[in-house]
């Protein structure tokens, strides 16, 4: 068994926290769509971990009981994980739509052609 010192644990925790903060700042700088995407990714990652954990527990139970059972795939993730994933995806869609509509509304139409001035007609006399 490998032992870790308190300093190593603090450094590891600090590094993870700094990485998380940088990722959140990067997503926030991209607007609501970035935040929604970050939440969707986190929810998807949690759902995959939960599914892997359930598969491992099921396989362990089968090995312990020595009975031939078929492995039934469990639904991916807990209720909380699915909720994070769904709200993250919805936030990404809403944020993207708002970003797109905001860009369209701020477009400036090209200026109209100016009518000829009287100075243009003075030179021809």
């Amino acid at each position: 068994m490998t032992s870790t010192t308190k300093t190593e644990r603090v450094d590891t925790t600090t590094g993870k926290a700094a990485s998380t903060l940088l990722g959140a700042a990067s997503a926030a700088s991209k607007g609501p769509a970035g935040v929604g995407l970050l939440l969707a990714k986190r929810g998807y990652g949690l759902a995959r971990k939960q599914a892997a954990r359930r598969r491992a527990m099921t396989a362990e139970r089968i090995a312990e009981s020595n009975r031939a059972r078929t492995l039934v795939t469990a639904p991916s993730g807990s209720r909380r994980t699915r909720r994070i994933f769904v709200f993250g995806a919805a936030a990404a869609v809403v944020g993207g739509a708002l970003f797109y509509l905001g860009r369209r509304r701020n477009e400036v139409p090209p200026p109209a052609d100016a009518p000829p001035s009287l100075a243009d007609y003075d030179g021809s006399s």
Side-chain angles (χ1 to χ4, degrees):
M1 184 168 139
T2 307
S3 64
T4 58
T5 64
K6 186 175 182 181
T7 307
E8 289 172 346
R9 286 190 302 247
V10 169
D11 288 344
T12 302
T13 306
T14 305
K16 286 180 183 177
S19 174
T20 303
L21 285 174
L22 284 174
S26 172
S29 70
K30 293 179 178 114
V35 173
L37 181 63
L38 179 71
L39 288 174
K41 280 184 179 178
R42 175 148 310 160
Y44 182 69
L46 288 173
R48 289 186 61 191
K49 283 181 187 176
Q50 181 76 12
R53 191 177 303 130
R54 284 186 182 182
R55 281 193 301 270
M57 287 175 59
T58 303
E60 191 175 294
R61 225 180 296 128
I62 289 171
E64 283 178 7
S65 65
N66 283 334
R67 284 187 279 168
R69 286 192 271 176
T70 58
L71 181 64
V72 178
T73 56
S76 61
S78 66
R79 195 175 232 189
R80 179 177 176 262
T81 303
R82 280 183 295 212
R83 186 176 294 152
I84 290 172
F85 182 74
V86 167
F87 282 123
V93 168
V94 169
L98 289 175
F99 181 76
Y100 175 72
L101 292 175
R103 288 281 183 146
R104 278 189 61 204
R105 192 170 58 145
N106 291 335
E107 280 183 3
V108 177
D113 292 336
S117 67
L118 294 175
D120 293 338
Y121 297 112
D122 279 344
S124 63
S125 310

